[in-house]
Short mmCIF file of all heavy atoms in Angstrom, two decimals:
data_model
loop_
_atom_site.label_atom_id
_atom_site.label_comp_id
_atom_site.label_asym_id
_atom_site.label_seq_id
_atom_site.Cartn_x
_atom_site.Cartn_y
_atom_site.Cartn_z
N GLU A 1 90.41 75.00 102.82
CA GLU A 1 90.49 75.67 101.52
C GLU A 1 91.87 75.51 100.90
O GLU A 1 92.00 75.41 99.67
CB GLU A 1 90.17 77.16 101.68
CG GLU A 1 88.70 77.42 101.94
CD GLU A 1 88.38 78.90 102.04
OE1 GLU A 1 88.95 79.71 101.28
OE2 GLU A 1 87.54 79.24 102.90
N GLU A 2 92.90 75.46 101.71
CA GLU A 2 94.26 75.30 101.20
C GLU A 2 94.42 73.96 100.47
O GLU A 2 95.16 73.84 99.50
CB GLU A 2 95.29 75.40 102.33
CG GLU A 2 95.39 76.78 102.95
CD GLU A 2 94.23 77.11 103.92
OE1 GLU A 2 93.55 76.18 104.42
OE2 GLU A 2 94.01 78.30 104.16
N PHE A 3 93.71 72.94 100.98
CA PHE A 3 93.76 71.63 100.33
C PHE A 3 93.13 71.71 98.93
O PHE A 3 93.68 71.19 97.96
CB PHE A 3 93.03 70.58 101.18
CG PHE A 3 93.06 69.20 100.60
CD1 PHE A 3 94.22 68.43 100.65
CD2 PHE A 3 91.94 68.65 99.98
CE1 PHE A 3 94.25 67.15 100.12
CE2 PHE A 3 91.97 67.38 99.44
CZ PHE A 3 93.13 66.63 99.50
N VAL A 4 91.99 72.40 98.83
CA VAL A 4 91.33 72.57 97.52
C VAL A 4 92.25 73.34 96.58
O VAL A 4 92.40 72.99 95.41
CB VAL A 4 89.97 73.29 97.67
CG1 VAL A 4 89.35 73.56 96.30
CG2 VAL A 4 89.02 72.49 98.54
N ALA A 5 92.88 74.39 97.09
CA ALA A 5 93.80 75.19 96.27
C ALA A 5 94.95 74.33 95.76
O ALA A 5 95.38 74.47 94.61
CB ALA A 5 94.33 76.38 97.07
N ARG A 6 95.45 73.42 96.60
CA ARG A 6 96.54 72.53 96.19
C ARG A 6 96.08 71.58 95.08
O ARG A 6 96.78 71.37 94.09
CB ARG A 6 97.07 71.73 97.38
CG ARG A 6 98.37 70.99 97.02
CD ARG A 6 98.91 70.20 98.17
NE ARG A 6 98.28 68.88 98.11
CZ ARG A 6 97.97 68.15 99.15
NH1 ARG A 6 98.22 68.57 100.36
NH2 ARG A 6 97.42 66.97 99.00
N VAL A 7 94.86 71.02 95.23
CA VAL A 7 94.31 70.13 94.19
C VAL A 7 94.20 70.90 92.88
O VAL A 7 94.60 70.43 91.82
CB VAL A 7 92.94 69.55 94.60
CG1 VAL A 7 92.31 68.78 93.45
CG2 VAL A 7 93.07 68.69 95.85
N ARG A 8 93.65 72.10 92.96
CA ARG A 8 93.47 72.94 91.77
C ARG A 8 94.82 73.20 91.09
O ARG A 8 94.95 73.05 89.88
CB ARG A 8 92.82 74.26 92.20
CG ARG A 8 92.44 75.18 91.08
CD ARG A 8 91.94 76.52 91.60
NE ARG A 8 90.73 76.46 92.37
CZ ARG A 8 89.50 76.53 91.87
NH1 ARG A 8 89.33 76.64 90.57
NH2 ARG A 8 88.45 76.49 92.66
N ALA A 9 95.82 73.56 91.88
CA ALA A 9 97.15 73.85 91.34
C ALA A 9 97.78 72.60 90.72
O ALA A 9 98.35 72.66 89.63
CB ALA A 9 98.05 74.42 92.42
N GLU A 10 97.68 71.47 91.40
CA GLU A 10 98.26 70.23 90.89
C GLU A 10 97.58 69.75 89.61
O GLU A 10 98.20 69.09 88.78
CB GLU A 10 98.20 69.14 91.96
CG GLU A 10 99.18 69.38 93.09
CD GLU A 10 99.06 68.34 94.21
OE1 GLU A 10 98.26 67.39 94.09
OE2 GLU A 10 99.79 68.51 95.21
N GLN A 11 96.30 70.10 89.45
CA GLN A 11 95.57 69.74 88.23
C GLN A 11 95.81 70.76 87.12
O GLN A 11 95.32 70.59 86.00
CB GLN A 11 94.06 69.64 88.52
CG GLN A 11 93.69 68.56 89.51
CD GLN A 11 93.94 67.17 88.97
OE1 GLN A 11 93.62 66.87 87.83
NE2 GLN A 11 94.53 66.32 89.78
N GLY A 12 96.53 71.84 87.42
CA GLY A 12 96.83 72.86 86.43
C GLY A 12 95.60 73.68 86.04
O GLY A 12 95.49 74.16 84.91
N LEU A 13 94.68 73.86 86.98
CA LEU A 13 93.43 74.55 86.70
C LEU A 13 93.48 75.99 87.18
O LEU A 13 94.18 76.31 88.13
CB LEU A 13 92.27 73.82 87.37
CG LEU A 13 92.04 72.39 86.86
CD1 LEU A 13 91.03 71.67 87.73
CD2 LEU A 13 91.58 72.42 85.41
N PRO A 14 92.69 76.89 86.52
CA PRO A 14 92.71 78.29 86.91
C PRO A 14 92.05 78.53 88.26
O PRO A 14 91.22 77.74 88.70
CB PRO A 14 91.90 78.97 85.79
CG PRO A 14 91.01 77.91 85.27
CD PRO A 14 91.79 76.63 85.40
N ALA A 15 92.40 79.62 88.88
CA ALA A 15 91.83 80.00 90.17
C ALA A 15 90.38 80.43 90.00
O ALA A 15 89.94 80.81 88.91
CB ALA A 15 92.64 81.14 90.78
N PHE A 16 89.64 80.35 91.09
CA PHE A 16 88.26 80.82 91.13
C PHE A 16 88.23 82.32 90.85
O PHE A 16 89.08 83.06 91.31
CB PHE A 16 87.67 80.52 92.51
CG PHE A 16 86.36 81.20 92.78
CD1 PHE A 16 85.21 80.79 92.12
CD2 PHE A 16 86.26 82.24 93.68
CE1 PHE A 16 84.00 81.39 92.36
CE2 PHE A 16 85.05 82.84 93.94
CZ PHE A 16 83.92 82.43 93.27
N SER A 17 87.23 82.76 90.09
CA SER A 17 87.08 84.17 89.75
C SER A 17 85.71 84.66 90.19
O SER A 17 84.70 84.35 89.56
CB SER A 17 87.25 84.36 88.24
OG SER A 17 87.02 85.69 87.88
N ALA A 18 85.66 85.39 91.31
CA ALA A 18 84.39 85.88 91.83
C ALA A 18 83.70 86.78 90.81
O ALA A 18 84.35 87.52 90.09
CB ALA A 18 84.63 86.66 93.12
N GLY A 19 82.40 86.70 90.74
CA GLY A 19 81.64 87.52 89.81
C GLY A 19 81.44 86.90 88.45
O GLY A 19 80.70 87.39 87.62
N ARG A 20 82.07 85.80 88.18
CA ARG A 20 81.97 85.15 86.88
C ARG A 20 80.56 84.62 86.64
O ARG A 20 80.04 84.68 85.53
CB ARG A 20 82.98 84.02 86.81
CG ARG A 20 83.18 83.48 85.45
CD ARG A 20 84.50 82.74 85.37
NE ARG A 20 84.60 82.10 84.10
CZ ARG A 20 84.96 82.71 82.99
NH1 ARG A 20 85.28 83.96 83.01
NH2 ARG A 20 85.00 82.05 81.86
N ARG A 21 79.90 84.10 87.68
CA ARG A 21 78.55 83.57 87.53
C ARG A 21 77.59 84.67 87.11
O ARG A 21 76.75 84.48 86.24
CB ARG A 21 78.10 82.91 88.84
CG ARG A 21 76.70 82.35 88.74
CD ARG A 21 76.42 81.36 89.83
NE ARG A 21 77.25 80.20 89.57
CZ ARG A 21 77.70 79.39 90.50
NH1 ARG A 21 77.40 79.59 91.75
NH2 ARG A 21 78.44 78.35 90.21
N ALA A 22 77.71 85.86 87.70
CA ALA A 22 76.84 86.98 87.33
C ALA A 22 77.04 87.34 85.86
O ALA A 22 76.08 87.60 85.14
CB ALA A 22 77.12 88.18 88.22
N ARG A 23 78.28 87.35 85.40
CA ARG A 23 78.57 87.65 84.00
C ARG A 23 77.90 86.63 83.11
O ARG A 23 77.26 86.97 82.12
CB ARG A 23 80.09 87.65 83.76
CG ARG A 23 80.43 87.88 82.30
CD ARG A 23 81.92 87.60 82.03
NE ARG A 23 82.27 87.87 80.67
CZ ARG A 23 82.04 87.03 79.66
NH1 ARG A 23 81.44 85.89 79.87
NH2 ARG A 23 82.38 87.34 78.43
N ARG A 24 78.03 85.34 83.44
CA ARG A 24 77.43 84.28 82.64
C ARG A 24 75.92 84.46 82.55
O ARG A 24 75.33 84.32 81.48
CB ARG A 24 77.78 82.92 83.22
CG ARG A 24 77.28 81.77 82.34
CD ARG A 24 77.45 80.43 82.99
NE ARG A 24 76.47 80.31 84.05
CZ ARG A 24 76.66 79.68 85.19
NH1 ARG A 24 77.81 79.11 85.45
NH2 ARG A 24 75.72 79.62 86.11
N GLU A 25 75.28 84.77 83.67
CA GLU A 25 73.83 84.94 83.67
C GLU A 25 73.39 86.12 82.81
O GLU A 25 72.39 86.03 82.10
CB GLU A 25 73.33 85.10 85.11
CG GLU A 25 73.43 83.79 85.88
CD GLU A 25 73.20 83.94 87.38
OE1 GLU A 25 72.94 85.07 87.84
OE2 GLU A 25 73.29 82.91 88.07
N VAL A 26 74.14 87.22 82.82
CA VAL A 26 73.82 88.39 81.99
C VAL A 26 73.96 88.03 80.52
O VAL A 26 73.09 88.35 79.70
CB VAL A 26 74.72 89.60 82.36
CG1 VAL A 26 74.63 90.70 81.32
CG2 VAL A 26 74.37 90.12 83.74
N VAL A 27 75.04 87.35 80.17
CA VAL A 27 75.29 86.97 78.77
C VAL A 27 74.21 85.99 78.30
O VAL A 27 73.68 86.13 77.19
CB VAL A 27 76.71 86.37 78.61
CG1 VAL A 27 76.89 85.76 77.23
CG2 VAL A 27 77.76 87.44 78.87
N GLU A 28 73.86 85.00 79.11
CA GLU A 28 72.83 84.04 78.72
C GLU A 28 71.47 84.71 78.56
O GLU A 28 70.72 84.39 77.64
CB GLU A 28 72.78 82.89 79.72
CG GLU A 28 73.99 81.99 79.63
CD GLU A 28 74.01 80.86 80.64
OE1 GLU A 28 73.03 80.72 81.43
OE2 GLU A 28 74.99 80.11 80.66
N ALA A 29 71.13 85.66 79.42
CA ALA A 29 69.86 86.37 79.30
C ALA A 29 69.83 87.19 78.01
O ALA A 29 68.80 87.23 77.32
CB ALA A 29 69.64 87.28 80.51
#
């Protein structure tokens, strides 16, 4: 997981946010 975190950081991408998928599904419904 640390390797993935390093790739994410080097790409300048935001961290994973738990619960985001549930929010998306509620909004889409």
Side-chain angles (χ1 to χ4, degrees):
E1 288 182 39
E2 293 77 20
F3 182 75
V4 175
R6 190 180 88 214
V7 173
R8 186 186 296 272
E10 288 176 3
Q11 297 293 316
L13 297 170
F16 168 70
S17 176
R20 193 160 173 80
R21 180 162 292 151
R23 177 191 182 280
R24 185 187 73 215
E25 289 169 1
V26 167
V27 171
E28 289 178 3

